[in-house]
Amino acid sequence: MVDLKGQYEKIKTEVDAGIQEVINTTAFINGAAVKEFQADLEKYLNVKHVIPCANGTDALQIAMMALGLQRGDEVITASFTYVATAEVIGLLGLTPVLVDVNPDTFDIDCDAIERNITAKTKAIVPVHLFGQCANMERIMAIAKKHNLFVIEDVAQAIGADYTFSDGKKAKAGTIGHIGCTSFFPSKNLGCYGDGGAMYTNDDELAKKMKMISHHGQSVQYVHDVLGCNSRLDTIQAAVLKVKLKHLDEYAAARQKAAAFYDTAFANNPKLKTPVRIKNSTHVFHQYTLQLNGVDRTKLREQLAERGIPAMIYYPIPLHEQKAFRSERNKKGDFPVTEKLCANVLSLPMHTELDEETLGYICKNVLELVN
Ligand SMILES: *Cc1c(COP(=O)(O)O)cnc(C)c1O
């Protein structure tokens, strides 16, 4: 599904030098590269504060802790997402309120958000699934009207641009109160292990998140709040510093591959290609088809026999997972999510796909579904 080796080969000299430098200085924790990468990312995103941490799941948890959410508070998020988003809500004793997504674009359904707001609702967590932004303009308006926080889960959409109706642009994750991202190796900006970050334009929230990720510590050995230990390793920061310089080029390569797939599958009634969200660019963390009248299991097996991986993101809806089953989350409650989980198929998507490989994939997919 990804070709991290091919990507590494092209930046090997710089990455190796960066890693070696960390080893030479033995500044494994909070070394210079962490601050440098943080500053580079702030500049790239045009955001006041980036707070690096250990992974994307921690980023979401620290964000919710910093907002002072209390046990029993309700947090609205999408039912069609990776488990981490809803998991941290539950772990903190908050109530995850799942809402369905839009059938064509996979983003959270804003009408459903509004229908699910109660006196206990404190935050909305839109997920910029597969690489394009949810309807942030409407989500921010809803949040303002009901006095709610917005935490953007931007783990799959780092670098995507959102354009407001007045023409103003912002990077994904810098629109809500806090943005949370992941540097997991296969993400669009991936390191060589685990990593993550929070973004915010709010000085106070930045201070709190920094404190929480360092054991609730403001001054060494002075602990003002309960926190955790969540840091980005210096070695990972050194890798990310190099890769950030290539992020736009990586997005362009993904978009080019997506365009190739789009053209090959256009007008095939059995394959619905991904629909773009009007106000967002798409950085294609995944290229996800919706199958129509195709035996998905068989297709995956046949593709695998021809050396083509294809994955299902995500096979089981959150509300049907044992960990999330409850009175309010029952089978049948989220028809769009249920249909997507049954029909989606993601094709190989990465920065190293050449036309020959893409051609081979498309030819075989078309042959097998027709
Ligand atoms: C990857 C991912 C996360 C979690 O990131 P980790 O770094 O793996 O903890 C959260 N949300 C979404 C949507 C993701 O894709």
Side-chain angles (χ1 to χ4, degrees):
M1 291 297 285
V2 295
D3 178 11
L4 297 175
K5 188 79 194 298
Q7 190 190 60
Y8 164 67
E9 295 296 343
K10 294 180 184 163
I11 50 172
K12 181 178 181 345
T13 319
E14 243 188 308
V15 167
D16 289 3
I19 293 175
Q20 190 59 53
E21 167 78 13
V22 178
I23 298 170
N24 291 349
T25 56
T26 68
F28 299 114
I29 303 292
N30 289 334
V34 179
K35 279 212 181 62
E36 288 160 13
F37 168 64
Q38 175 194 326
D40 291 352
L41 188 56
E42 283 166 355
K43 196 163 162 227
Y44 174 84
L45 295 168
N46 190 23
V47 72
K48 244 170 128 180
H49 305 279
V50 165
I51 300 101
C53 67
N55 57 68
T57 310
D58 277 8
L60 288 161
Q61 179 176 331
I62 294 163
M64 286 178 209
M65 288 169 79
L67 291 172
L69 304 185
Q70 301 293 322
R71 262 179 187 282
D73 286 350
E74 293 177 2
V75 178
I76 295 177
T77 194
S79 50
F80 187 56
T81 180
Y82 181 58
V83 65
T85 325
E87 179 183 45
V88 296
I89 300 171
L91 260 185
L92 292 172
L94 314 170
T95 306
V97 176
L98 302 178
V99 305
D100 217 340
V101 296
N102 293 310
D104 294 334
T105 44
F106 314 126
D107 61 323
I108 193 163
D109 176 346
C110 290
D111 292 332
I113 293 178
E114 288 203 293
R115 280 198 304 273
N116 280 277
I117 290 173
T118 71
K120 288 183 179 169
T121 309
K122 290 288 153 52
I124 308 169
V125 186
V127 182
H128 303 323
L129 203 72
F130 301 152
Q132 58 182 349
C133 295
N135 185 347
M136 287 309 294
E137 184 152 359
R138 172 116 186 255
I139 290 167
M140 294 313 290
I142 295 170
K144 193 167 172 198
K145 182 170 159 202
H146 297 275
N147 202 18
L148 308 175
F149 293 116
V150 175
I151 303 171
E152 294 173 70
D153 183 340
V154 66
Q156 301 189 1
I158 192 166
D161 286 304
Y162 187 82
T163 307
F164 291 87
S165 48
D166 65 2
K168 278 209 189 86
K169 278 184 200 287
K171 286 280 182 202
T174 67
I175 302 162
H177 299 85
I178 302 174
C180 297
T181 203
S182 163
F183 305 123
F184 186 82
S186 62
K187 298 284 157 90
N188 287 34
L189 180 62
C191 56
Y192 295 167
D194 273 310
M198 292 79 74
Y199 328 143
T200 186
N201 282 306
D202 183 313
D203 297 341
E204 206 50 45
L205 279 176
K207 217 165 104 187
K208 277 191 192 153
M209 290 193 285
K210 214 162 154 183
M211 203 154 92
I212 290 166
S213 57
H214 290 147
H215 299 292
Q217 175 174 288
S218 52
V219 178
Q220 199 171 21
Y221 304 125
V222 180
H223 306 277
D224 299 338
V225 293
L226 285 180
C228 56
N229 174 19
S230 188
R231 292 180 285 233
L232 179 68
D233 287 351
T234 315
I235 286 182
Q236 301 307 338
V239 173
L240 290 166
K241 227 180 78 177
V242 175
K243 289 185 70 174
L244 177 59
K245 290 189 282 186
H246 298 278
L247 185 58
D248 286 344
E249 182 191 305
Y250 290 162
R254 290 170 176 275
Q255 285 157 352
K256 205 171 151 205
F260 192 103
Y261 283 141
D262 278 351
T263 309
F265 304 140
N267 310 318
N268 187 312
K270 292 187 180 166
L271 304 170
K272 179 166 179 177
T273 55
V275 176
R276 311 297 195 268
I277 289 174
K278 211 174 84 222
N279 293 345
S280 176
T281 60
H282 201 325
V283 293
F284 285 98
H285 176 59
Q286 299 297 344
Y287 185 89
T288 303
L289 293 168
Q290 291 187 58
L291 305 179
N292 183 17
V294 176
D295 181 339
R296 183 172 65 174
T297 309
K298 193 168 142 216
L299 175 62
R300 279 188 78 202
E301 280 167 14
Q302 289 173 322
L303 285 170
E305 281 165 17
R306 300 176 186 202
I308 301 167
M311 297 290 287
I312 299 166
Y313 305 115
Y314 297 92
I316 306 170
L318 281 183
H319 63 281
E320 290 179 29
Q321 301 278 5
K322 240 189 199 164
F324 293 96
R325 257 187 244 152
S326 75
E327 265 313 295
R328 64 184 326 146
N329 301 329
K330 289 188 302 290
K331 196 170 161 69
D333 287 352
F334 306 92
V336 178
T337 295
E338 287 171 25
K339 182 162 176 255
L340 291 176
C341 288
N343 295 324
V344 288
L345 189 70
S346 296
L347 295 179
M349 173 49 77
H350 54 83
T351 58
E352 311 304 310
L353 284 164
D354 55 30
E355 293 206 344
E356 192 191 332
T357 311
L358 288 164
Y360 177 76
I361 296 169
C362 293
K363 178 178 142 278
N364 282 288
V365 170
L366 287 168
E367 224 174 81
L368 292 169
V369 301
N370 285 329

